[in-house]
Amino acid sequence: MSGFVYTGATADEIWPLVRDFHYSARSPSPPRHAFAIRQTGGIFGDTGLPVAGLTYSQPVSRYFPTEAVELSRLVRREDFEGQLSEFISWSLRWLRANTKTPFVLSYADSTHGHHGCVYQATGFVYVGATARGKIGFTLPDGSFIHARACNRRFGTNGIGEVTRLNPDWVPTYGEPKHLYIFPLRQKWPTIARQRGWAALPYPKPKAARPLDAPGTTGREAGATPAGRSSSQVAA
């Protein structure tokens, strides 16, 4: 697969991919690092159009240390068929070499048919699934509003208050999310002991097609890396 390079990126460069090809259509906040697979272009061949991207952000959950990062967006164009597991591995090597990040975490959202195949292919450790929880509300016309949008609009996403203001809105619950961990500057036994985790067998796919399968849209899942340390994608 010639004609593409791995580079650092800005969150603004990744945003069009998230807007057009990620199920959330929403940027994570606050991003810390961003990376892209680009078409070759420019004097040094590393300023072409991004065809895939990922971002690492501060973990949303307060349960995790602020020094850790969450792989918060992983997305690609529908017409790009490159291996995203190789891309993730490249970004993890950069983080290990250039930051003091103890570990990376990421979720695979079973509500959207994901079980984490791309994380399994990259060597992440599977530690379990979150509980099924409320993700928002379904409106009478069939549209959906996310709990975070309710926070911005009403100052809360609590069922009692939101349904008091909107009696015909129906609370909507999502399926569990699979949690994966990738050790960087901290060794897995230390992480497991401190967090009370154990490595569990990988979950199996249902009807979902893996992110590494050709033709699959990346819908999983900051400071920009110094310069544009690029790497040619293997042919």
Side-chain angles (χ1 to χ4, degrees):
M1 187 186 60
S2 60
F4 298 94
V5 293
Y6 298 153
T7 77
T10 66
D12 287 342
E13 288 181 296
I14 304 303
W15 162 241
L17 291 170
V18 173
R19 179 194 62 208
D20 297 338
F21 300 105
H22 195 274
Y23 65 83
S24 71
R26 181 174 53 83
S27 289
S29 180
R32 290 184 181 173
H33 310 284
F35 302 90
I37 302 177
R38 302 175 186 271
Q39 297 173 342
T40 54
I43 297 175
F44 299 104
D46 61 355
T47 56
L49 180 71
V51 295
L54 62 82
T55 58
Y56 292 98
S57 306
Q58 179 173 323
V60 173
S61 173
R62 297 178 182 177
Y63 173 75
F64 299 110
T66 57
E67 297 82 9
V69 295
E70 180 176 341
L71 199 168
S72 50
R73 291 293 182 272
L74 174 62
V75 61
R76 67 177 170 198
R77 293 177 56 91
E78 292 178 343
D79 57 357
F80 178 67
E81 299 184 351
Q83 295 289 312
L84 294 184
S85 56
E86 295 178 4
F87 178 40
I88 295 173
S89 293
W90 177 84
S91 71
L92 292 170
R93 289 194 296 272
W94 189 94
L95 290 175
R96 177 178 281 130
N98 294 279
T99 74
K100 296 183 179 180
T101 305
F103 62 86
V104 169
L105 65 113
S106 193
Y107 294 97
D109 193 346
S110 60
T111 300
H112 296 277
H114 301 300
H115 72 286
C117 178
V118 71
Y119 305 129
Q120 296 175 17
T122 312
F124 277 68
V125 179
Y126 178 63
V127 297
T130 64
R132 184 173 181 266
K134 176 174 63 65
I135 59 174
F137 297 84
T138 300
L139 281 56
D141 62 1
S143 60
F144 173 78
I145 181 169
H146 197 279
R148 292 190 183 93
C150 291
N151 277 332
R152 292 192 295 270
R153 184 181 299 185
F154 308 118
T156 179
N157 63 30
I159 293 176
E161 181 63 16
V162 173
T163 54
R164 182 184 69 80
L165 297 171
N166 307 275
D168 52 359
W169 287 19
V170 178
T172 303
Y173 295 83
E175 296 302 314
K177 293 183 179 181
H178 299 293
L179 177 58
Y180 289 86
I181 303 296
F182 193 92
L184 287 178
R185 301 299 291 271
Q186 200 170 35
K187 296 184 182 301
W188 167 246
T190 301
I191 298 170
R193 183 176 66 254
Q194 291 179 347
R195 315 303 300 180
W197 287 330
L200 302 176
Y202 286 146
K204 303 296 184 182
K206 294 182 180 179
R209 181 168 51 179
L211 268 177
D212 269 348
T216 305
T217 303
R219 296 179 181 273
E220 278 289 347
T224 303
R228 290 186 177 275
S229 175
S230 60
S231 171
Q232 293 284 344
V233 178

